[in-house]
Amino acid sequence: MNTVAIDIDKEYDLICVGGGIMSATLALMSKILKPELKVLIVERLDDVAQESSAAWNNAGTGHSALCELNYCPEIDGEVSIKKAITICQQFEESKQFWSYLVAQGFIDNPSGFINPVPHHSWVIGKDNADYLEQRYNAMKQHFMFDTINFTRDSSIMQQWFPLIMHNRKADEVMAASRINRGTEVNYGALTKSLFDILKTEYNTPVLCNMEVKDIDPSPDIDWTVQMEDLKTNKKYNLESKHVFIGAGGGSLLLLQKVEIEEKEGYGGFPISGEWLVCKNPDIIKQHNAKVYSKAGLGDPPMSTPHLDTRYINGKRELLFGPFAGFSPKFLKEGSNFDLFKSVNFDNISPLLGAFWHNLPLTKYLIEQVTSSHEDRMEALRKFVKDAKSEDWEILVAGQRVQIIKKDEFETGVLQFGTEVVSSKDGSVTCLLGASPGASTATSVMIEVLEKAFPEILHSEEGKALMSKMIPFWNAEVTVDLFKSQLEKSKAALQL
């Protein structure tokens, strides 16, 4: 994507920092709601969708809580599906927005970014099997998940995921669940499609190779965004009424420079990811599924192992992971000094508190960082019994920054998920955190719109457009509404 010429000191209604799925979604929704808004997107790399949104850098599951067991914790002997319901609804809102874009003729080939792949949960051992059956019973009663199937029968599992069932012993205790409507999403391809719409339909510029250095209060408008062209070293000061910081792991460092009190106490801990990628086409053909299992005892939620069919650059792939690594960088293309630069007087206590309360995570990361290729293959062989080392290679995925913030006791808590940090007037918003991230981009960006542009969102025209784009917005999600919109999305997205 080429940079465009800009006028120094030009004023904007909204500047989005970061060329990923979040900025693309926010900018496009804003322009649909009010086409005359002046919007600018700024990206430090030479193209959009190169960091967290890139296909190889994220899980691509289309996180909808159909198979991810960490969204259904066991509490006092009962399995809670409360979080699963929320995430399922959020992903369906994303599908509704994409369906709207297809209906408007903005996207003509949805299979370029979304494809149907059944979602499965699979566990080994009696206790895990009992848990999975409890989860099935709870989900079966809710209309969002009432098509779920459950089995302890190995012959049925053989039909669902034959690669995993190959060479299994007859006495091995297992259980699995399946929901057929699962999807596989290439967020890199989707993000590029959204930016293409912004460029061709709404004349919205994207500045690549441009790094935002600071965001300062402006006496004339609201904020002065200081930027530097990384190729020419030329500096620009642009003014904007609203600024959205959606720079993935790099968001925290920029937020810390903004003069708003809401930023106080936030820290971050970077975790890199790795996948085992299959190189053997004959093996790839044997698996058409996403299969999630349980994280190990004491392991963090992001370590949930899964064997995934992926569609990347028009080609079917097979990935297993994730494996964690450590790098002090906050972005894959970041600096080794990122972590150290993020530590300040205000967040040192939460950082130390989070470290102390998450010693198992530290132990897990040390074990992961010191793991060899063969160690990773042994983890894979819990899924694929006869996996051969020469058929798989390691691929380094994206960089994630987990949120650390003050708790009520002024120490630190490590958060998994995403969080919108906003100034009181909503003129600066910042997205921190990771998974389920991209899958819930639409609902998270609606939250940003609520803070930044409530007058647009809640105008008569705005409400009518929002209800057309995302029928779940501002509505009670009933059985009939859910089922009807599920069918509409299925047809529009060719699922």
Side-chain angles (χ1 to χ4, degrees), residues 63-124:
H63 286 294
S64 43
L66 307 184
C67 59
E68 306 92 332
L69 299 180
N70 53 304
Y71 298 146
C72 295
E74 193 171 358
I75 303 170
D76 297 328
E78 298 290 326
V79 174
S80 171
I81 65 168
K82 185 177 178 181
K83 187 173 183 179
I85 293 167
T86 299
I87 290 173
C88 180
Q89 179 173 327
Q90 289 176 328
F91 183 65
E92 291 304 321
E93 288 172 3
S94 290
K95 284 168 61 183
Q96 289 167 15
F97 180 51
W98 306 335
S99 298
Y100 172 83
L101 299 177
V102 172
Q104 295 301 304
F106 294 157
I107 295 175
D108 57 9
N109 180 29
S111 65
F113 72 88
I114 187 168
N115 287 276
V117 175
H119 284 198
H120 306 79
S121 304
W122 170 72
V123 295
I124 300 174

Side-chain angles (χ1 to χ4, degrees), residues 283-301:
I283 295 173
I284 295 171
K285 289 176 189 172
Q286 296 176 49
H287 189 80
N288 181 38
K290 289 184 180 286
V291 182
Y292 274 58
S293 194
K294 287 191 81 173
L297 192 64
D299 291 347

Side-chain angles (χ1 to χ4, degrees), residues 319-332:
L319 278 70
F320 176 76
F323 300 98
F326 175 75
S327 164
K329 296 180 180 181
F330 277 10
L331 290 164
K332 196 173 181 179

